[in-house]
Amino acid sequence: MQVRNSSSQFGIVSIVVHWLVAFTVFGLFGLGYYMAGLSYYDEWYRLAPDIHRSLGILLFLVVLFRVVWRLANPAPEPLPTHTRWEVMSAHIAHMLLYILLFVAMVSGYLISTADGSSISVFNWFEVPSVTGQVKGMEDIAGDIHYWSTWAIVILAGLHALAAIKHHILDKDNTLRRMLGAKG
């Protein structure tokens, strides 16, 4: 399998990064949803947020890489069987997913650093606060984070359903291309 995308096929880098981001986003969403129900006395009360923040920072770096890779390495051409509205809606959905991912990650960062503290990423390195202490920022950022993550999960679910529709109903290579299979 080729490293870079071709005009008809995704390369291994695009495929691996796509699935890494997808699984990480859903994992972080599940962890965040679980964390919201923890009590102060639960043993995961302190550990889960540290894991969530660390994975969120690493995801930010991966998504930045993905954007740079995508700019330097365009996606394959749409399949000839795709209608104009399918191509346009896929393009819009991808752009919205990128925007929402950055909104969710930046708002998550702002929640955690609103008190001026840095974020420790698995004790490997620290990401400092760029805002210092800002009273009430964690509440505003929290609302933005909450709604943007729900929007990501819903839009990603629709994205997955569209891929399944192409695979099962249209019987085209849309999903196979992102799985690295030849059509």
Side-chain angles (χ1 to χ4, degrees), residues 81-160:
T81 57
H82 291 174
T83 65
R84 181 172 165 76
W85 77 267
E86 286 174 323
V87 173
M88 288 302 294
S89 60
H91 180 71
I92 291 167
H94 284 113
M95 293 308 296
L96 279 173
L97 281 168
Y98 281 118
I99 291 166
L100 288 166
L101 281 168
F102 282 113
V103 167
M105 292 182 289
V106 169
S107 61
Y109 166 82
L110 293 174
I111 294 166
S112 299
T113 60
D115 64 356
S117 63
S118 61
I119 298 173
S120 173
V121 179
F122 295 119
N123 293 322
W124 298 337
F125 60 93
E126 300 271 327
V127 178
S129 172
V130 295
T131 61
Q133 289 184 323
V134 179
K135 187 172 171 68
M137 183 170 67
E138 67 275 8
D139 294 330
I140 295 166
D143 287 341
I144 293 168
H145 191 70
Y146 177 85
W147 290 109
S148 63
T149 56
W150 270 104
I152 290 167
V153 168
I154 291 167
L155 188 54
L158 292 172
H159 176 68

Side-chain angles (χ1 to χ4, degrees), residues 51-68:
I51 293 169
H52 188 84
R53 285 187 289 265
S54 293
L55 288 174
I57 295 291
L58 295 176
L59 178 64
F60 180 79
L61 297 173
V62 171
V63 172
L64 273 180
F65 169 79
R66 185 175 184 188
V67 168
V68 170

Side-chain angles (χ1 to χ4, degrees), residues 8-20:
S8 63
Q9 194 73 25
F10 285 100
I12 189 70
V13 173
S14 293
I15 292 169
V16 168
V17 172
H18 172 272
W19 292 109
L20 177 64

Side-chain angles (χ1 to χ4, degrees), residues 32-53:
Y33 192 81
Y34 171 73
M35 287 177 351
L38 294 176
S39 73
Y40 180 79
Y41 299 103
D42 194 301
E43 71 178 90
W44 276 86
Y45 182 79
R46 285 177 188 74
L47 182 59
D50 288 339
I51 293 169
H52 188 84
R53 285 187 289 265

